[in-house]
Amino acid sequence: MQDRDGFIWLNGQWLPWRDAKVHVLTHTLHYGYGCFEGIRAYATAHGPAIFRLDEHLRRLEDSAHILAIDLPYTRAEMAEACIEAVRRNGLDSAYLRPLLFLGAEKLGVDPAGAASHLMIAAWHWGAYLGNQAMDTGIRVRVASYARHHPNVQMCRAKAISTYANSILAVREARRDGYDEALLLDTEGYVAEGSSENLFMVSKGELLQPETTSALDGITRRTVMTLAADAGLTVRSKRITRDELYCADEVFLTGTAAEITPVIEVDRRRIGKGEPGPITRRIQQAYLAAVRGEDMRYRDWLTPTTR
């Protein structure tokens, strides 16, 4: 990632991509204390547009507030930097990564005295789970690692440290030949994927796990709106592993993963072993929204062209 052409915004300045560096004694590098966002921009008929930018930046503000990290920029300043990151790097579509971290001003578990730093980068990133994942679906393994209890990790914050748990889970799944991991909560109920929320279809009803220990995903919220507008009921409930095995359809949602069908969990075929009709319906509605093809959702798009 470091050897690229382009520009990265760091603490209010545009730096050549290869010059955007931090010191090895950066506090967040040692203790994982910080937060970030993942945002996508899509090619539309009117040029690149960032999807749900304000909601993502609001969540970044919330994450910083939860973690008690000073965020030294306004939402408007961050939004302008995100828009300019797409423009300046000449991207038609993009993945954007705002990252709030603590610097090398001091070390030690207590970060008091370490200054807040914010960077925003944008680059082209294709299908997160592989080019065929959204078309043919993926195989998922239930991890031996549980998702955090809300009194262990602040689950509403998109915190850097949370992802050590996700890394352990996904590496375990891929070592066993699966595409992705699914984590249960500490009571054994379905929580989420390593970096995605989950939905399942059972007897025509669209269900999702309660988000007590899962991230309140923006793509998840998008799916709830799309489903409601399509006349589908969405219900949140505790979901057991065996309920998931017997689901008619399962799919994962996330900014990076978008809408990815799941066709197998723990070597149990889901439904007919192929993406189901409701998954396809939601997927098509989502892609129409992010590409600016459905004018009902045009307010979700922030144009990057002047």
Side-chain angles (χ1 to χ4, degrees):
M1 292 295 295
Q2 75 272 19
D3 189 21
R4 290 171 175 247
D5 296 325
F7 299 90
I8 291 176
W9 188 90
L10 178 61
N11 294 331
Q13 294 185 323
W14 288 101
L15 299 176
W17 192 284
R18 294 173 181 84
D19 294 342
K21 299 177 181 179
V22 298
H23 196 274
V24 293
L25 292 179
T26 295
H27 190 282
T28 298
L29 179 62
H30 289 255
Y31 300 106
Y33 200 65
C35 52
F36 69 97
E37 274 299 318
I39 310 172
R40 276 196 188 265
Y42 288 87
T44 76
H46 304 288
I50 302 175
F51 187 64
R52 307 203 74 169
L53 176 60
D54 189 69
E55 289 89 342
H56 279 285
L57 295 179
R58 186 181 305 135
R59 189 172 65 180
L60 183 64
E61 291 175 336
D62 289 344
S63 295
H65 180 67
I66 291 167
L67 297 174
I69 299 175
D70 179 49
L71 180 55
Y73 297 94
T74 66
R75 198 183 309 167
E77 289 170 327
M78 293 188 292
E80 182 55 37
C82 287
I83 292 167
E84 183 61 22
V86 176
R87 288 183 192 145
R88 193 173 287 244
N89 287 292
L91 298 164
D92 293 325
S93 61
Y95 183 85
L96 295 98
R97 170 54 55 84
L99 174 73
L100 179 64
F101 64 98
L102 297 173
E105 292 78 17
K106 68 147 309 189
L107 212 56
V109 173
D110 183 357
S116 296
H117 300 268
L118 182 66
M119 83 90 194
I120 298 172
W123 65 92
H124 177 73
W125 199 2
Y128 177 66
L129 291 168
N131 291 330
Q132 298 301 312
M134 290 180 66
D135 292 331
T136 60
I138 62 170
R139 300 173 61 249
V140 170
R141 179 200 195 281
V142 173
S144 65
Y145 302 94
R147 188 47 104 205
H148 298 291
H149 188 279
N151 285 332
V152 171
Q153 183 82 34
M154 298 289 192
C155 299
R156 284 294 169 270
K158 194 171 174 67
I160 295 169
S161 55
T162 305
Y163 285 79
N165 183 230
S166 294
I167 290 166
L168 290 167
V170 76
R171 283 173 65 87
E172 175 185 64
R174 290 181 179 171
R175 279 196 301 266
D176 288 348
Y178 292 87
D179 302 299
E180 183 55 292
L182 178 67
L183 293 97
L184 309 179
D185 64 22
T186 53
E187 295 184 65
Y189 294 95
V190 174
E192 60 181 345
S194 70
S195 57
E196 310 92 2
N197 291 113
L198 177 140
F199 287 84
M200 62 175 271
V201 178
S202 179
K203 299 178 178 64
E205 187 178 23
L206 189 56
L207 303 170
Q208 63 169 341
E210 296 174 349
T211 56
T212 305
S213 62
L215 187 70
D216 181 10
I218 290 167
T219 308
R220 167 187 165 271
R221 295 182 215 163
T222 299
V223 166
M224 293 175 69
T225 299
L226 295 174
D229 289 349
L232 299 169
T233 60
V234 184
R235 183 162 61 95
S236 300
K237 67 180 289 288
R238 282 184 156 184
I239 296 173
T240 61
R241 193 189 316 198
D242 47 7
E243 285 181 292
L244 198 65
Y245 293 161
C246 296
D248 299 316
E249 303 177 43
V250 175
F251 60 91
L252 300 177
T253 67
T255 297
E258 299 170 297
I259 312 296
T260 299
V262 175
I263 59 171
E264 184 182 309
V265 178
D266 290 348
R267 304 193 187 280
R268 276 82 164 181
R269 186 183 67 187
I270 300 299
K272 296 180 179 179
E274 60 186 30
I278 292 178
T279 300
R280 287 295 191 216
R281 189 175 176 186
I282 294 293
Q283 189 182 63
Q284 290 163 6
Y286 180 80
L287 292 175
V290 301
R291 293 168 179 166
E293 297 166 358
D294 190 330
M295 297 305 292
R296 291 177 296 174
Y297 309 111
R298 61 185 179 273
D299 291 346
W300 286 346
L301 295 169
T302 301
T304 64
T305 52
R306 295 187 187 277

